[in-house]
Amino acid sequence: RLEKFLSIARRRQHGLVVVFENPDRLDAAAMLRACDAFGVAEVHFVFEQVKAFDPLANRQVMKSEGSNLWVCSRVFSSVAECAEHLESREFLSVAIEESHANTTTAVFEASLACEDKIALWLGNGGTLSSSAKSVALRRGWSISVPSISKCMPALVPSN
C-alpha cells in the first residue's frame, strides 16, 4: 500500500503551479480538490483585493477531503510577491483568460509543451487583475480559453 502512495506521488506534475488570484473563500476546497485530481503538486493563493484566509484552516480542510495532504499551498499578499517567488524558481507565468481578450494566444495554438516549469494564473470569475496580466505578458504568455457562454449560448440565461 505504501508503494502505491509513493507511485502516485512520483507522478505529480511538479513543474506545474496553479495561481489563484483573489479566490473566493467558499471555492478554496474545490480548487484544491480539482488541482489534486489533475496531479498539480503546488497551488498559490494571492490575496490582493479580497480578505486573506488560510486555505488550510479546519473548515477548509474538512471540505478538501484530504487534497490538502497532497497539494502544497502557499499564500501571498500581492501579485508582485508571488511573481517574484515564481521567477526565482524559473517558472514561466501564463495568464488564463476568456477568449474575448485581444492580447492572448488561443490555448490550442500555444506551444507550452516544451516548458519545464509553468505557473498558470487564474482570476476569480475568470478575470485577472491588470497587474497579474502584466506579469504574464512581461515574463510569459497570456492564453485564451473558450468561454462557456460562447460555446453553449443556450445554457447561459439571458438578462
Side-chain angles (χ1 to χ4, degrees):
R1 186 174 179 155
L2 179 61
E3 184 54 41
K4 182 177 180 181
F5 286 129
L6 293 174
S7 172
I8 290 169
R10 280 192 291 270
R11 290 191 304 241
R12 290 263 171 213
Q13 300 183 58
H14 294 284
L16 178 63
V17 171
V18 176
V19 181
F20 293 109
E21 182 190 29
N22 300 313
D24 186 328
R25 172 187 302 275
L26 300 175
D27 295 335
M31 292 174 189
L32 285 172
R33 286 193 310 269
C35 288
D36 182 25
F38 285 99
V40 175
E42 191 171 339
V43 174
H44 293 181
F45 292 93
V46 178
F47 300 104
E48 222 175 36
Q49 299 168 357
V50 297
K51 183 179 176 186
F53 62 88
D54 181 359
L56 298 180
N58 288 339
R59 191 168 161 211
Q60 297 297 335
V61 167
M62 289 186 328
K63 293 190 296 185
S64 69
E65 298 179 4
S67 295
N68 58 304
L69 300 174
W70 295 97
V71 180
C72 172
S73 64
R74 297 175 191 262
V75 174
F76 296 92
S77 59
S78 71
V79 167
E81 180 186 6
C82 183
E84 186 178 304
H85 171 76
L86 291 168
E87 189 176 88
S88 72
R89 294 175 56 203
E90 299 179 351
F91 274 85
L92 174 73
S93 288
V94 178
I96 306 296
E97 301 184 76
E98 288 188 8
S99 57
H100 56 75
N102 294 334
T103 58
T104 62
T105 302
V107 68
F108 299 110
E109 295 172 7
S111 57
L112 295 173
C114 60
E115 299 294 334
D116 291 331
K117 295 180 175 182
I118 298 174
L120 299 177
W121 288 71
L122 302 161
N124 190 356
T127 306
L128 282 169
S129 68
S130 58
S131 58
K133 287 179 193 177
S134 68
V135 164
L137 291 174
R138 193 171 63 247
R139 300 179 179 138
W141 289 65
S142 185
I143 293 181
S144 64
V145 293
S147 168
I148 190 69
S149 62
K150 302 221 186 318
C151 296
M152 304 164 106
L155 298 178
V156 178
S158 60
N159 294 355

